Amino acid sequence: MKISILGAGAMGCMMSGFLVKHHEVCLVDVWKEHVDEINRNGLRIRFNGEVETVHPKAVTNPEDAKGADLVIVFVKSIQTADALERSKALLGGDTLVLSLQNGYGNDQDIKKFVPEKNIIMGTTDRAASVLGPGFVNNSGGRYIHIGPLGDDMSGAQRIAAAFRECGLDTDVYDSREVNAMIWDKLIINCTNNALVAILDINTPQLADEPLSDAFKMLLRESVDVARACGFPFEYDVYVEKDYALLKSLAKEARTSMWQDVNKKRRTEIDRMNGAIVKLGREKGVPTPCSEMIVHLVHAIEKNYAVS
Ligand code: NAD
């Protein structure tokens, strides 16, 4: 398959390390130093202490990556629409577009540029971080779950076959199932992500009182909104699920929003707790705790400019 990855950050690079084994992969990113380093010396990927160098092509100009069978969108959710607007050259009439991003609303952003029949959505527990230009860490993970935005499963099945060939465990679901999985991850993100960033703590600390009371208030609102949107999730199940997750993490683990705040980058808050507030308003579900969290993260972001 000819694969272009839009957004060659942590996840885009990590995925390219697998896909380049059997496919023609091109990374597309606005970060010139990173792109130049990948073309000059290859992309270094660290996993379990070992560093492997792979050689995907990398470009800053989307014109140089057109004609792909598949475009994987791996910019932050707040950048999806803008990145696709600038990268229309990547999209042919039959190009499949896959998003494994976090956050709410990536499908609707992609739909402005791509026919529904070509859009595949999904979620993964794989994780990665950027260590420097041309250098990323593969933090592991097991699954990739994907499914079509519409009814036609064939595109998702082709992608899954191409991913499995490269050692990426990928399962295909129908559109309703995959949407529920995206919501499932959204709920956990809305519960943990911002609190860790605001409080500058390690993620597992959320499991201890009184922080556990705070995360449960956010969790309750997210589950209530999900239910109002037609996903019959159970609050008690999520409390157990989040405790289990927090216990499974390394002691020093931090959330992606903590990483963004630490690097003074705009966060995905508007596509996480912000989406819960917006949908809550539409569905008549009160979300005061989520709204407070959104204000606090916006205040932190605003402070970057003056600090
Ligand atoms: P990242 O910030 O490391 O990478 C995003 C990349 O997009 C950056 O290199 C940036 O330069 C690039 N970019 C921004 N605007 C662009 C544009 N117009 N054109 C081309 N490139 C552009 O982000 P990430 O951590 O890889 O996360 C990507 C998405 O995947 C997010 O939605 C995130 O929540 C999700 N996700 C991340 C992880 C993780 O462990 N990092 C795990 C699962 C899901």
Side-chain angles (χ1 to χ4, degrees):
M1 242 185 181
K2 203 168 164 193
I3 302 173
S4 291
I5 300 181
L6 180 60
M11 292 298 282
C13 282
M14 180 273 289
M15 288 288 288
S16 80
F18 287 91
L19 295 172
V20 80
K21 290 176 191 159
H22 292 285
H23 305 286
E24 192 184 327
V25 179
C26 185
L27 296 166
V28 184
D29 205 289
V30 290
W31 184 13
K32 189 169 182 315
E33 190 189 1
H34 182 55
V35 165
D36 288 347
E37 177 61 22
I38 293 169
N39 287 323
R40 206 178 305 119
N41 297 316
L43 168 65
R44 288 179 301 143
I45 305 180
R46 190 176 74 187
F47 184 53
N48 284 343
E50 304 273 318
V51 177
E52 182 190 4
T53 303
V54 293
H55 295 276
K57 184 178 158 193
V59 301
T60 51
N61 184 353
E63 287 283 343
D64 298 330
K66 50 190 198 186
D69 305 302
L70 169 66
V71 171
I72 308 177
V73 182
F74 254 138
V75 294
K76 296 278 193 185
S77 54
I78 44 165
Q79 300 159 334
T80 305
D82 183 53
L84 281 168
E85 175 68 45
R86 290 159 183 257
S87 307
K88 283 185 197 148
L90 293 179
L91 308 168
D94 293 326
T95 314
L96 295 172
V97 176
L98 167 69
S99 164
L100 296 174
Q101 299 157 282
N102 286 325
Y104 180 85
N106 293 301
D107 51 354
Q108 295 311 310
D109 284 346
I110 296 171
K111 219 170 145 183
K112 290 176 195 148
F113 303 92
V114 181
E116 183 179 279
K117 69 177 178 53
N118 292 349
I119 303 175
I120 316 296
M121 300 302 297
T123 184
T124 179
D125 71 343
R126 290 192 165 274
S129 56
V130 172
L131 300 175
F135 193 17
V136 300
N137 188 61
N138 173 358
S139 317
R142 290 166 300 119
Y143 68 77
I144 297 175
H145 296 324
I146 63 173
L149 188 58
D151 299 329
D152 182 358
M153 307 285 281
S154 63
Q157 275 152 354
R158 270 187 7 246
I159 294 170
F163 279 18
R164 285 191 209 114
E165 227 183 319
C166 302
L168 290 164
D169 214 345
T170 308
D171 292 316
V172 178
Y173 297 86
D174 68 27
S175 118
R176 167 124 196 120
E177 288 168 325
V178 87
N179 206 6
M181 290 170 188
I182 291 168
W183 261 99
D184 173 87
K185 195 168 181 202
L186 180 69
I187 288 172
I188 296 293
N189 268 322
C190 290
T191 302
N192 299 343
N193 221 328
L195 278 179
V196 170
I198 293 165
L199 294 164
D200 188 16
I201 55 172
N202 296 326
T203 313
Q205 286 178 261
L206 288 177
D208 301 328
E209 284 179 354
L211 280 178
S212 53
D213 295 329
F215 92 62
K216 284 177 201 162
M217 292 170 86
L218 289 173
L219 180 55
R220 163 90 58 197
E221 290 185 2
S222 300
V223 169
D224 286 349
V225 171
R227 291 175 68 87
C229 291
F231 298 95
F233 297 131
E234 295 290 340
Y235 168 75
D236 291 340
V237 171
Y238 274 88
V239 172
E240 290 309 312
K241 196 169 174 164
D242 203 26
Y243 271 123
L245 172 76
L246 296 172
K247 283 205 185 92
S248 74
L249 295 172
K251 212 170 84 207
E252 67 283 359
R254 315 263 204 171
T255 60
S256 62
M257 203 172 291
W258 180 91
Q259 317 276 352
D260 287 336
V261 165
N262 194 247
K263 290 186 177 165
K264 296 188 189 296
R265 287 190 307 219
R266 198 176 150 210
T267 70
E268 294 183 293
I269 191 75
D270 290 339
R271 294 307 187 93
M272 293 182 176
N273 306 75
I276 295 297
V277 173
K278 188 164 169 285
L279 290 165
R281 268 191 209 126
E282 284 169 22
K283 303 284 179 191
V285 179
T287 59
C289 301
S290 306
E291 196 165 348
M292 167 69 92
I293 289 292
V294 173
H295 290 316
L296 292 178
V297 174
H298 282 164
I300 292 173
E301 291 173 333
K302 195 172 167 194
N303 208 30
Y304 299 160
V306 292
S307 63

